[in-house]
Amino acid sequence: MNKQTTSVSHNSATYDLRIGGWLQHLHSDLSDALKEIATEDILLPNGQQVGDYKAEKKDEYNAQSDSYYSSPKRYLNVCSVRDFRLDWDTLIKEIKKEIIGTCVPLLMAKHKLSEPEQYEILKAASNGHVAAMFWIGARLREKKDDNCLRWLSMAHNRGHVGACYEMAAYLESQGNHNEALRCLIVSADGGCDLAYMSIFSIDNLITMSKIEQVSLENMLDEIAATHSSSARYLEGMLLFFQGKETEGLAVLKAFLKSPKRQPPKGSIDEVYENQIKVVSSFVEGILADIAYGIHPLDAIHARCEQAGFIKFKDYDEVVKAVEKMRLST
């Protein structure tokens, strides 16, 4: 992923989010996503994180004036055998296998997890297991615990598809409207279909009216500068709110030319094509209504209600229903 970031602020804490790249496992099987582990976060048997151990060994290699070893990787392998009795690749493979074998069955369990089982998920999350990070964050969100933002931002930064959308839902429920919109846009731009189809909800326009205009403008300007961001649509809405109809129309027309960043050709599927059709039809309808003489805000409101885009409330109801069904089977 691109290392460009944006920062989310809530209750005097700041959480950095990666932007500018695609989230992982957008179209893959759930089982693949459940096995995702951020290798650099893994704790080695000596208590060091993989990233720290690798950096340490690279520095040692570079410090040798006349190294016997042909490459940093060969030196890493020698150190791994010395310290852990396994070559590096085998060591990492075995650790991942153990984490996945313990954690995945718990994430898929059809019963309420015991405290020891929840602790195992915490251990997996601390070892880089991305779905475990998300699991912890989602359950802390249910408890209205701000710590959910730490775990969800960690999961997002390691490529989790739904983590930043969960952050948006939490921040909105806490009345932090500007940062909720920021997270929603970041999630949509990363390829989360749920977030993208939430961008155009009438609820977001209501939310925008509650945000200090300068803060909203600054946030939208920052995010809109990245790869065909959906923030461009909200910038157009803001211009209409400000009574700048000509500028708002120009932004909407430009947005219509590229309503969503195109994924790699091999990843373009029916869902992507349908989203483009729905959103293009929606924006074209707004432009047509305004050209017919309907006030921009009236046109937007009517088209939003007609389209029935996703809302946080709808998402939460589905999540609760699915969880209830899972535990009852």
Side-chain angles (χ1 to χ4, degrees):
M1 292 177 67
N2 190 304
K3 295 298 181 72
Q4 186 178 354
T5 62
T6 188
S7 295
V8 173
S9 298
H10 183 68
N11 286 344
S12 301
T14 301
Y15 309 89
D16 290 334
L17 297 177
R18 290 189 181 184
I19 57 177
W22 293 110
L23 297 165
Q24 296 174 10
H25 304 295
L26 291 175
H27 308 292
S28 63
D29 188 271
L30 175 62
S31 62
D32 293 332
L34 286 176
K35 295 174 184 176
E36 184 68 35
I37 295 176
T39 304
E40 300 294 294
D41 294 337
I42 291 175
L43 288 172
L44 296 168
N46 67 353
Q48 275 186 293
Q49 281 191 321
V50 162
D52 293 335
Y53 185 85
K54 285 170 60 179
E56 178 183 282
K57 299 312 165 190
K58 185 175 181 180
D59 288 343
E60 290 177 8
Y61 174 83
N62 290 335
Q64 298 175 23
S65 57
D66 185 19
S67 177
Y68 168 78
Y69 307 100
S70 58
S71 69
K73 178 62 184 290
R74 179 169 172 75
Y75 180 70
L76 178 64
N77 275 334
V78 170
C79 292
S80 179
V81 171
R82 180 196 67 200
D83 295 339
F84 311 116
R85 299 188 177 182
L86 288 172
D87 71 80
W88 183 253
D89 290 341
T90 301
L91 173 69
I92 299 304
K93 182 179 179 180
E94 290 299 314
I95 294 175
K96 285 186 175 183
K97 182 179 178 180
E98 182 179 352
I99 295 170
I100 292 167
T102 301
C103 185
V104 172
L106 294 176
L107 295 176
M108 300 297 291
K110 295 182 179 179
H111 63 267
K112 187 174 181 179
L113 299 185
S114 65
E115 287 191 11
E117 288 174 327
Q118 292 180 45
Y119 179 68
E120 288 298 327
I121 291 181
L122 176 60
K123 282 174 55 180
S126 300
N127 268 283
H129 195 284
V130 180
M133 295 175 192
F134 176 80
W135 188 94
I136 294 170
R139 274 139 193 84
L140 289 174
R141 178 169 92 83
E142 292 174 3
K143 298 178 181 179
K144 302 188 185 304
D145 186 332
D146 281 359
N147 284 316
C148 72
L149 296 173
R150 171 176 170 256
W151 287 102
L152 291 171
S153 62
M154 286 171 61
H156 167 82
N157 289 337
R158 289 152 181 80
H160 194 283
V161 175
C164 204
Y165 184 83
E166 285 275 344
M167 291 180 69
Y170 178 74
L171 290 164
E172 182 61 25
S173 72
Q174 298 299 301
N176 193 340
H177 304 300
N178 193 67
E179 301 300 60
L181 270 184
R182 184 194 303 273
C183 288
L184 185 62
I185 295 166
V186 169
S187 183
D189 289 353
C192 177
D193 292 333
L194 182 63
Y196 181 73
M197 297 309 290
S198 300
I199 286 288
F200 309 96
S201 168
I202 189 68
D203 284 8
N204 290 326
L205 304 187
I206 297 171
T207 293
M208 288 171 65
S209 68
K210 301 175 183 177
I211 302 172
E212 181 185 10
Q213 193 168 110
V214 173
S215 297
L216 180 59
E217 287 179 341
N218 289 340
M219 185 272 289
L220 292 178
D221 284 346
E222 175 194 350
I223 305 297
T226 63
H227 63 81
S228 300
S229 173
S230 52
R232 295 169 300 137
Y233 168 78
L234 296 178
E235 283 190 318
M237 297 300 101
L238 181 58
L239 289 167
F240 287 132
F241 287 167
Q242 296 170 335
K244 301 176 181 178
E245 183 174 329
T246 301
E247 293 89 336
L249 286 171
V251 170
L252 275 195
K253 289 175 182 177
F255 175 78
L256 191 56
K257 295 177 181 178
S258 178
K260 185 177 183 180
R261 181 187 178 206
Q262 183 172 307
K265 289 184 179 180
S267 299
I268 297 176
D269 58 5
E270 186 177 348
V271 172
Y272 171 81
E273 298 289 355
N274 287 339
Q275 287 178 348
I276 295 297
K277 288 178 183 177
V278 169
V279 172
S280 295
S281 176
F282 167 69
V283 175
E284 287 169 352
I286 292 174
L287 294 173
D289 290 345
I290 294 173
Y292 188 71
I294 299 175
H295 189 278
L297 297 183
D298 291 336
I300 294 163
H301 181 270
R303 292 287 176 174
C304 282
E305 290 296 309
Q306 180 182 349
F309 290 110
I310 298 170
K311 302 178 181 180
F312 290 130
K313 180 177 68 175
D314 302 327
Y315 169 70
D316 284 337
E317 289 177 356
V318 170
V319 169
K320 289 177 182 177
V322 170
E323 182 68 6
K324 183 178 179 180
M325 186 183 304
R326 183 178 70 85
L327 294 176
S328 64
T329 56

